[in-house]
């Protein structure tokens, strides 16, 4: 006898319940209990104490026609598998360029000899930061990675971050602008961004693994972009919304069009915030690129994974140190660039 | 470009709230601002405003904070849409304008100066000055000469490549003014343009504005909460209280004949000798010509005449304007005009 029998009996649904029953053991525990023989009679007080919530499983005991929770997860999986093929027909060609770009970038970063790559990166650091100290630090850090033979792995990681962070900015800034212009758009986007940010990183990978083959670079590319695009969108939206209302009013009073207002006023004044978003996006790409090594992303993450899998402590620690160095380099360089933007548009008002 | 632009505002209402049209019916049926707020949660911003802003004159709209003056000036270029009424610029109702025409109006007919300057912080002084022209699509070569000329004129020559945050408040507002002048628009809207400045700099800026106006004859709409400033600048003074025009007219006329206790209160604190002019208290056709102690100009302040007379109330002066005789000034009458209560009693 199940607890909720009375509901179905009372409603006269007994026949319907027994008609197409889903039976079978609920869980391993049930299976064991079943083999252990009949349950002892319980007192009234005990059965009240153990009153189950009318959950799917509890209702199923009373009325086998009702599905169990495991059917729910199975249904979810089946419905995903059903839409997978049509979805793939659409998504595959759209995302294919991402694979090409990632492959090309990997190719370029790993095949360019170190004596070309190193000066190029240093020039980039100089352009972004105009700081000799920072350049010295980057040279030392990269030199160290070269010295301990972690350079190729570091460059693989770097190339993935470059591509993904760049694409995050390319898509994120326009989305942020659209959000800042329309409250409806903002209301719709914020829950999605919240979800992307809070969803455990591994959960992203599951549907992606079903959609694309694990050997394709776009699999981890999409995972990284989805995870890292959030801050640049949020901060673009915030930056534009925070632009001084007086200046916006002046722009309107002098007859600027929406486009002129965006290009001449809003984006330049929001630039410090947008740059802060880019910095966050780069850091989050780095965090994700390590996890993405689970789905065949090359780079330092592979070494970390090897360290965990084979309990090779030294390999794991060394790769971890390499990731830290990359993180510090990327963070300091983007922060220095941000500081320069801030100084140029320094905004003490009133 | 048309330098004789006039603005007239007719039967203008502005109600803030969820359903302004329904609230408007109640206001027209005679509901007061307080009742509208308490019973219907709508704010009566402006109520039945009628103001003629003549071409080439400075119209000062004065009121305390919350009187609706900033709301009113934003109607002139439709930064705020009215609930009802007409706004005529050169006889055309700008409320009928579509987006493109309105933009053209803002670009070519009007310029605006803001209380907090509202300069672009990432542009140089020169680029800020040329902003209105750049917005029209002119390139730098077309406006640079004009921009430099006006920067020189407001005393900022040599600062062209500075950024706004490198300048003091007074200098930033000079940039604001040169930006408005460089646009060459016949109408200038000035929203508490000098309120954020120190008193001494404010006086400087007022003098600068009057000096520029003498040669430019723009149609200026000036918002102020400072009566001294309003009296100094105004050709036409509009006093606003709780969204209603309490009195409007020539400043001297308002000073001598205030029609509302609110205005009497307002003007009781000012230095009348410095504000009132000879023309406001002179006799144009006295019964008999008195013997005069000298000549004074119709636009002299009473203060200067008192200084001239050495405080002797027995004297009379001949009043001239542009060399022509226009009337006589009796010192006794002059002294009486300095007492505000007397004027108030007469006026009420």
């Amino acid at each position: 006898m199940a607890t909720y029998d009375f509901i179905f009996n009372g409603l006269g649904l007994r026949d319907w319940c027994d008609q197409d029953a889903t039976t079978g053991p609920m869980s391993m525990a049930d299976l064991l209990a079943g083999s252990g023989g009949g349950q002892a009679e319980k007192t009234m007080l005990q059965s009240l104490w153990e009153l189950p919530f009318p959950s799917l499983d509890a209702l199923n005991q009373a009325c086998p026609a009702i599905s169990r929770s495991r059917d729910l997860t199975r249904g979810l999986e089946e419905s995903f598998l059903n839409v997978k093929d049509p979805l793939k027909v659409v998504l595959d060609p759209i995302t294919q360029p991402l694979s090409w770009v990632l492959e090309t970038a990997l190719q370029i970063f790993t095949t360019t000899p170190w004596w070309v790559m190193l000066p190029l990166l240093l020039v980039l650091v100089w352009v972004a930061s105009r700081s000799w100290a920072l350049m010295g630090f980057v040279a030392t850090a990269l030199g160290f990675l070269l010295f301990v033979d972690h350079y190729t792995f570091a460059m693989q990681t770097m190339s993935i971050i470059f591509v993904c962070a760049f694409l995050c900015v390319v898509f994120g800034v326009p989305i942020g602008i659209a959000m800042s212009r329309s409250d409806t758009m903002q209301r719709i986007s914020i829950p999605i961004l919240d979800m992307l940010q809070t969803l455990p990183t591994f959960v992203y990978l599951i549907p992606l693994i079903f959609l694309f083959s694990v050997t394709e670079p776009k699999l981890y590319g999409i995972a990284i972009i989805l995870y890292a695009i959030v801050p640049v969108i949020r901060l673009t939206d915030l930056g534009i919304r925070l632009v001084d209302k007086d200046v916006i009013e002046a722009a309107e009073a002098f007859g600027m069009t929406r486009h002129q207002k965006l290009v001449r006023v809003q984006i330049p004044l929001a630039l410090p915030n947008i740059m802060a978003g880019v910095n966050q996006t780069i850091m989050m790409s780095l965090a994700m690129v390590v996890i993405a090594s689970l789905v065949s992303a090359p780079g330092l993450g592979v070494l970390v994974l090897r360290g965990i899998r084979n309990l090779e402590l030294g390999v794991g620690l060394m790769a971890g140190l390499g990731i830290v160095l990359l993180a510090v380099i990327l963070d300091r360089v983007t922060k220095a660039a941000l500081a320069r933007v801030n100084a140029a548009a320094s905004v003490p008002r009133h | 470009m048309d330098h004789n632009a006039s603005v007239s505002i007719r039967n203008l209402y502005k109600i803030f709230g969820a359903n302004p049209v329904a609230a408007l019916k109640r206001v027209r049926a005679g509901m007061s601002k307080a009742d509208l707020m308490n019973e219907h949660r709508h704010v009566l911003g402006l109520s039945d405003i009628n103001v003629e802003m003549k071409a080439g004159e400075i119209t000062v709209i004065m009121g305390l904070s919350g009187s609706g003056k900033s709301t009113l000036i934003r109607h002139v270029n439709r930064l705020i849409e009215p609930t009802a009424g007409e706004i005529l610029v050169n006889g055309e109702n700008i409320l009928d304008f579509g987006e493109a025409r309105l933009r053209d109006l803002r670009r070519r007919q009007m310029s605006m100066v803001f209380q907090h300057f509202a300069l672009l912080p990432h542009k140089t002084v020169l680029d800020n000055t040329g902003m209105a022209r750049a917005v029209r699509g002119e390139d730098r070569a077309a406006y640079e000469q004009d921009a430099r000329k006006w920067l020189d004129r407001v005393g900022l020559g040599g600062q062209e490549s500075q950024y706004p945050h490198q300048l003091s408040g007074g200098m930033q507002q000079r940039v604001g003014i040169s930006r408005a002048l460089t646009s060459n628009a016949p109408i200038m809207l000035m929203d508490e343009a000098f309120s954020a400045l120190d008193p001494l700099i404010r006086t400087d800026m007022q003098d600068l504005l009057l000096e520029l106006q003498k040669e430019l004859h723009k149609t200026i709409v000036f918002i102020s909460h400072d009566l001294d400033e309003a009296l100094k600048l105004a050709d036409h003074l509009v006093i606003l209280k709780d969204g209603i025009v309490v009195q409007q007219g020539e400043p001297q006329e308002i000073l001598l004949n205030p029609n509302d206790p609110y205005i009497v209160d307002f003007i009781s604190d000012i230095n009348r000798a410095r504000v009132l002019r000879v023309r406001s208290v002179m006799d144009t056709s006295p019964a008999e010509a008195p013997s005069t102690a000298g000549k004074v100009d119709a636009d002299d302040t009473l203060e200067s005449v008192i200084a001239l007379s050495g405080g002797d109330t027995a004297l009379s002066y001949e009043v001239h304007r542009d060399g022509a005789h226009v009337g006589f000034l009796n010192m006794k009458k002059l002294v009486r005009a300095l007492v505000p209560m007397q004027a108030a009693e007469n006026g009420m």
Side-chain angles (χ1 to χ4, degrees), chain A residues 22-70:
Chain A
T22 15
T23 47
M26 202 75 67
S27 64
M28 194 54 101
D30 261 9
L31 205 64
L32 289 176
S35 67
Q39 287 167 335
E41 285 293 310
K42 288 172 181 167
T43 67
M44 189 66 174
L45 197 66
Q46 271 174 327
S47 65
L48 192 66
W49 183 254
E50 290 178 4
L51 177 75
F53 185 81
S55 66
L56 284 175
D57 282 353
L59 291 176
N60 172 265
Q61 275 188 328
C63 173
I66 290 179
S67 328
R68 290 164 299 170
S69 353
R70 60 158 14 161

Side-chain angles (χ1 to χ4, degrees), chain B residues 2-295:
Chain B
D2 182 6
H3 276 278
N4 289 307
S6 63
V7 179
S8 34
I9 292 174
R10 296 201 182 140
N11 308 102
L12 188 81
Y13 286 88
K14 176 66 189 179
I15 295 166
F16 297 98
N19 190 353
V21 178
L24 178 68
K25 280 194 192 120
R26 296 201 175 87
V27 172
R28 282 192 165 144
M31 184 175 267
S32 76
K33 178 171 175 150
D35 287 347
L36 191 72
M37 182 66 215
N38 292 333
E39 288 167 35
H40 302 285
R41 299 281 139 204
H42 278 64
V43 178
L44 179 56
L46 293 171
S47 176
D48 198 14
I49 306 287
N50 286 285
V51 178
E52 294 289 327
M53 298 159 180
K54 293 204 190 79
E57 282 194 353
I58 302 182
T59 303
V60 177
I61 298 165
M62 203 210 61
L64 299 180
S65 53
S67 60
K69 57 193 190 303
S70 284
T71 309
L72 180 55
I73 200 174
R74 278 165 179 69
H75 279 87
V76 177
N77 58 0
R78 271 179 71 188
L79 286 175
I80 296 178
E81 297 287 332
T83 307
E86 284 183 336
I87 300 156
L88 306 177
V89 174
N90 294 331
E92 279 184 289
N93 188 359
I94 64 166
L95 297 177
D96 298 337
F97 284 15
E99 200 183 324
R101 258 195 99 187
L102 177 64
R103 196 182 307 132
D104 197 63
L105 177 87
R106 288 177 180 175
R107 285 181 178 187
R108 296 178 189 282
Q109 297 287 311
M110 292 180 182
S111 59
M112 196 161 179
V113 183
F114 297 85
Q115 180 175 11
H116 295 299
F117 325 134
L119 302 173
L120 298 178
H122 62 294
K123 296 277 191 183
T124 61
V125 166
L126 184 68
D127 287 338
N128 265 298
T129 305
M131 176 180 142
R133 303 274 287 270
V135 169
R136 282 181 213 160
E138 294 178 30
D139 55 12
R140 185 196 279 255
Y143 63 73
E144 182 168 350
Q145 205 187 350
D146 262 9
R148 283 181 190 280
K149 181 181 89 181
W150 288 119
L151 279 172
D152 268 349
R153 198 59 216 286
V154 301
L156 283 179
Q159 315 265 13
E160 290 87 351
S161 55
Q162 303 265 64
Y163 285 88
H165 65 88
Q166 294 169 304
L167 305 179
S168 67
M171 286 159 96
Q172 290 191 35
Q173 194 56 300
R174 283 168 200 263
V175 179
I177 290 177
S178 60
R179 168 170 75 180
L181 292 173
T182 307
S183 87
N184 272 334
I187 300 170
M188 243 171 111
L189 308 177
M190 305 185 78
D191 178 25
E192 302 228 22
F194 305 148
S195 300
L197 306 175
D198 300 334
L200 273 180
I201 297 172
R202 195 185 309 170
T203 311
D204 277 354
M205 300 292 278
Q206 290 160 359
D207 293 339
L208 174 72
L209 181 68
L210 286 175
E211 186 191 317
L212 289 168
Q213 174 65 357
K214 231 177 245 171
E215 63 189 80
L216 297 174
H217 301 294
K218 289 189 185 285
T219 307
I220 298 178
V221 183
F222 195 101
I223 298 287
S224 180
H225 62 244
D226 176 357
L227 186 62
D228 286 313
E229 180 172 77
L231 291 170
K232 180 171 177 180
L233 299 177
D235 294 313
H236 183 75
L237 180 61
V238 180
I239 296 179
L240 213 57
K241 181 197 174 195
D242 291 340
I244 296 166
V245 173
V246 191
Q247 189 173 9
Q248 61 175 316
E250 221 252 303
Q252 309 267 311
E253 179 61 31
I254 293 180
L255 213 52
L256 292 171
N257 302 303
N259 69 0
D260 187 286
Y262 175 74
I263 298 174
V264 173
D265 227 21
F266 229 140
I267 61 180
S268 62
D269 279 344
I270 60 158
N271 182 349
R272 295 166 71 87
R274 186 168 297 165
V275 177
L276 286 174
R277 311 269 167 176
V278 169
R279 63 183 143 91
S280 310
V281 290
M282 70 183 182
D283 291 314
T284 43
S285 48
E288 51 187 290
S291 60
T292 56
K295 290 180 189 172

Side-chain angles (χ1 to χ4, degrees), chain A residues 135-146:
Chain A
M135 241 173 104
F137 169 74
V138 173
T140 318
L142 289 177
F144 173 75
L145 288 173
L146 271 166

